[in-house]
Each structure stands twice: as structure tokens, then as C-alpha cells.
Amino acid sequence: MSSPATSSDREKVVSKLPGWLRQNLKVRAAQHGVDIQDAVQQGIADWCRLASGPEIIDTSGADPFSTFLPEGQWDQFRSVAADRGVSLIQGLAQSVQVWLDTNPATDVPRPGITRRIIMCNQKGGVGKTTVTEGVSEALAEDPDQLYPVGVPHQLTKLLHDGGPIDEDHPQQVEHEPGGGLRVLMVDFDPQCHLTNQLGVEKLPLEGDSLTKHLAGEPKGDLKDLIVSIEDDHYQGRLHLLPGCIDGFLLDVRLSTVRAREAALDRALAPLENDYDIIVVDCPPSLGLTMDAAIHYARRRDGESPGRSGVVIVVQAEDSSADAYDLLTDQIESLRTDLALTIDYLGIVVNLYDGRRGYIATSSLEGWVAVGDPRVIGLIPDLKEQREAVRANRTLLSYAPKCQQSVSMRAIAREIS
């Protein structure tokens, strides 16, 4: 049946669709950037023009489905369905399938140059590891499923409008396909927080490690150390290069290495062809280790701006601002001394809790006021991340709809 719509040129149509077909329609429409009602409209038009009806579709268990169609299209559809001797539900299902067949799933675009992102801050405890994990998971999620994503720039809009940030109020979300990228997380911190957080064993001190490859003393192939994060959401696309505590000695060992700033480039180069993006969880350091990470994130010849670079993770408190100044001074020194182009991808304000009062709220406003780099994400201080670690689960699979997961996906979209 149909009923008048608010628009003068469309009418509301109510019918039924099987749940699986409705889900396929939602995902495919999102992949193509098409409104669902436009997809259904095109599918019905194409179905009506067919010389004969397509294959019968199993519509058992169909649920109510409504959309808006141009005036007169539903009447034409009913007439064609009657001529073909099929029910309206069957005809609608066939129409949707016609549109799906005409608009196949889009391929995930692969970068010509493997992208490199470093998560960094000289200050420890700001949550670099948490952001590394969450953003990497979002980049690797299933491209044939829809996930809740925070609306971009919502934080900035709220601050510019003068409204308060209410972390207890669910942020506005859109549902978008997963990133579908092949992602390698690199635990570059000798404290091995990322490795531990994902429930993976640290590399043994006497064995091979990233540190040994950086120092020019490898004991094997770095690929052999990589661990796949097994979860249906990632389908083999999310991997980890685990950490080893021998990283505590890395600054000393790098001091004797030729072209030490490029040590991480040399170590990770053999892995790059297997991944679309490599995300490095950096240690809280201003030493040679950090120099190597910053150099790795530089813009390479032929690479577009903003594809690789630095994400700075901070908290809404004063000590993060001091550490930020030290880190950006180091980045600027490398830019000048080595003539590098290093892109700032943005600032992430982590573990935000407005209940801490003026220090938190004023610091948040201060980060937004930086402007360049801009704030690309606000992650609330909630329990789900800690629960996921305790359960040895990834955050986005443990609590896919929590505000932290929604925020991680928003950051991933900002940098992808």
C-alpha cells in the first residue's frame, strides 16, 4: 500500500523484505553513496523494463519495509507484478536484487604507496596504545558490514557553537561499511602495552625482534614474527608485530647504526607490500627511537599529502600540553635538519571526562584552538576499553556500539 509523503513528488510505500536482502541493500547503498530510496526506485524501474520476471527469491520471514517513491511508480509496479503473477513482496524483492546485481560491491581502494601512521606523544599514559588499537581495528573492519561511526567534526562544531561537551550524551552516528584495509600494528614501545592488550605473547629476549632488525642484527625474517588478530570482523586483515623488552636498549644500539634515522624504514620495508597501512605505537620518548619513527612517517616521493604522518594523542590536562611542545619541537627539527616533509594528521584527545571540571573543559578548548594540527577525535573515559583488555578482546568486537568504538571509527575515517 502507499500513503502521501511530505514531499509533493513522492509517496510513502509500505511492503515487506527479507532481513538478509534489506541488509545487503543497506550495505551496498552505503558503499556506493546512494540513498536507499533512490536504489529501490532504480531497481523497480529496471525490474519493470525487464522482458520477463527474474528468478524467484525466498521471501519467507519478510519484515515490514517502507520507502518513498515517485508518484505513480508504485501503481505501475503493481500492474507489472499482476501481469507476471507475482506478489508485491516478491516483485519488490526481485527489484532490490536487480539493483544489487547492477551495482556490485565496490572494491576497497588500495594505496599505491603503503601508508604509515605513527601514534605518538612524549608523555606516557595518554592512551597511544588504545588509539593505535582502536583505529587499526576500524580500518580493518568488514567492508560488507555496517558499523556506527561518529559524525565528523561534531566536536569542533559543538565548541564553535559555544555548547558544552556532554560525554554522557550519545554522539550522533552514521552507519558506514568497515574500512576493509590490510593493517599491520607495530608495537614499537619496549613496555609492550599493545602486545599485552591484545593478549599476545611478548617476543622472547633471546629471540628475533624488531629491535634486532633496527640494530642490523636480525636473527630471521621479520614476517615470521607477525601475529594475525583472529576475529570475524577483520577476516585476516588485522596483524600485529609484537613487542619485545629489548627495545629499552634501542637508543643506545641505534647510536652506532649508519643512517640511524632511516632504521625503521629499512626494517619494515620488506613488510610493506603485504599491507595497505602500517600503524606504529610509539614509545614515550624523545630519543633516537622517536627520530626513527618520525622519519618513517615522512611523506615519500609521489605520495599525496595527508596519507602518511603523525597522530598526536593527548589528554585534556596541562602536562599533555608541555609534552606536545617537546614533541613538535623534535618533529620540526627533523623537518629542518633532514629536509623532510612530515604531515600532522591530527590531534586525538583521549580519556576525556568533563566531570573533572574546568581543567578538562578548558584544556579541550585549548586543543581545538590549536587549529593546525586540528582535533580529529574525542574519546571518552569509559569502562569498555578496560573490560575488553581484561577479556583479551579487541575493543571494536567486544563493544562495537559503545561511544569509544564509535569515536575510533570516526578517527579512522578522518585519516583514511
Side-chain angles (χ1 to χ4, degrees):
M1 69 176 187
S2 64
S3 60
T6 55
S7 172
S8 59
D9 61 349
R10 285 184 177 266
E11 58 183 0
K12 183 177 182 179
V13 173
V14 179
S15 184
K16 289 185 176 183
L17 270 182
W20 62 269
L21 190 56
R22 181 205 302 262
Q23 180 65 15
N24 289 347
L25 173 62
K26 286 181 178 179
V27 172
R28 196 71 55 80
Q31 289 174 338
H32 285 271
V34 175
D35 192 280
I36 289 178
Q37 68 178 14
D38 293 331
V40 175
Q41 174 187 335
Q42 187 60 53
I44 289 176
D46 291 343
W47 182 81
C48 289
R49 285 194 292 266
L50 293 175
S52 61
E55 182 178 341
I56 294 296
I57 293 175
D58 182 4
T59 60
S60 58
D63 298 316
F65 174 81
S66 63
T67 189
F68 290 89
L69 299 175
E71 285 189 358
Q73 187 180 42
W74 189 248
D75 290 336
Q76 179 193 13
F77 168 74
R78 291 167 63 97
S79 176
V80 174
D83 289 343
R84 291 179 180 168
V86 298
S87 68
L88 297 180
I89 296 174
Q90 179 62 217
L92 181 60
Q94 292 181 8
S95 298
V96 169
Q97 189 60 55
V98 165
W99 185 85
L100 291 171
D101 293 341
T102 307
N103 296 270
T106 56
D107 292 330
V108 175
R110 306 295 177 189
I113 299 174
T114 299
R115 300 175 57 204
R116 295 132 355 260
I117 294 175
I118 64 170
M119 299 285 183
C120 55
N121 192 323
Q122 181 270 339
K123 183 179 185 297
V126 296
K128 297 183 295 292
T129 298
T130 296
V131 177
T132 298
E133 180 198 334
V135 171
S136 298
E137 292 163 18
L139 290 166
E141 280 184 313
D142 190 347
D144 293 323
Q145 296 291 329
L146 296 181
Y147 301 93
V149 181
V151 174
H153 313 307
Q154 185 181 17
L155 167 63
T156 305
K157 288 179 180 177
L158 284 170
L159 286 174
H160 285 177
D161 292 341
I165 299 296
D166 180 5
E167 67 276 9
D168 293 325
H169 181 72
Q171 58 185 301
Q172 183 181 352
V173 300
E174 297 172 347
H175 287 81
E176 299 181 9
L181 297 173
R182 300 168 300 175
V183 181
L184 174 65
M185 298 176 286
V186 176
D187 192 345
F188 199 39
D189 187 342
Q191 298 173 91
C192 303
H193 289 319
L194 180 60
T195 302
N196 293 334
Q197 192 162 293
L198 290 167
V200 176
E201 291 290 330
K202 295 189 293 289
L203 296 174
L205 191 60
E206 67 278 4
D208 200 13
S209 68
L210 177 58
T211 297
K212 293 182 177 64
H213 282 256
L214 287 163
E217 303 168 357
K219 291 191 173 183
D221 191 332
L222 206 56
K223 290 184 179 182
D224 294 337
L225 305 180
I226 291 174
V227 175
S228 179
I229 306 302
E230 297 301 327
D231 188 285
D232 290 342
H233 290 285
Y234 316 123
Q235 298 175 331
R237 289 182 296 269
L238 183 63
H239 293 167
L240 170 70
L241 178 56
C244 179
I245 61 172
D246 63 358
F248 280 114
L249 304 174
L250 184 55
D251 272 3
V252 174
R253 300 178 77 172
L254 281 178
S255 65
T256 62
V257 172
R258 179 185 58 84
R260 54 182 175 262
E261 294 88 359
L264 191 58
D265 293 69
R266 294 192 294 269
L268 296 182
L271 307 179
E272 290 183 0
N273 286 339
D274 295 331
Y275 297 98
D276 300 310
I277 185 166
I278 295 176
V279 185
V280 181
D281 183 26
C282 295
S285 166
L286 290 175
L288 299 178
T289 303
M290 195 64 219
D291 282 350
I294 295 169
H295 187 278
Y296 186 61
R298 77 196 185 284
R299 191 194 308 170
R300 295 178 179 174
D301 292 342
E303 189 172 21
S304 300
R307 301 297 289 166
S308 297
V310 176
V311 173
I312 303 177
V313 183
V314 301
Q315 290 184 16
E317 40 78 35
D318 294 340
S319 61
S320 274
D322 296 335
Y324 171 84
D325 290 338
L326 291 170
L327 176 62
T328 53
D329 285 347
Q330 182 177 10
I331 293 172
E332 294 309 314
S333 294
L334 281 174
R335 269 178 164 173
T336 303
D337 295 345
L338 301 180
L340 304 179
T341 301
I342 301 168
D343 293 329
Y344 290 99
L345 303 184
I347 297 171
V348 174
V349 182
N350 190 32
L351 297 172
Y352 180 75
D353 186 350
R355 293 171 298 181
R356 293 175 184 152
Y358 176 73
I359 294 296
T361 57
S362 61
S363 295
L364 176 58
E365 292 173 358
W367 288 120
V368 173
V370 170
D372 184 16
R374 63 186 175 86
V375 173
I376 59 173
L378 174 71
I379 303 174
D381 185 6
L382 299 173
K383 61 183 176 60
E384 284 81 4
Q385 175 63 39
R386 291 184 286 273
E387 291 176 348
V389 173
R390 179 66 62 87
N392 284 332
R393 298 271 304 279
T394 62
L395 170 64
L396 271 65
S397 64
Y398 174 79
K401 297 180 181 179
C402 77
Q403 290 189 54
Q404 289 173 321
S405 293
V406 168
S407 296
M408 295 293 186
R409 295 190 187 99
I411 296 166
R413 298 306 187 271
E414 286 287 305
I415 64 176
S416 64

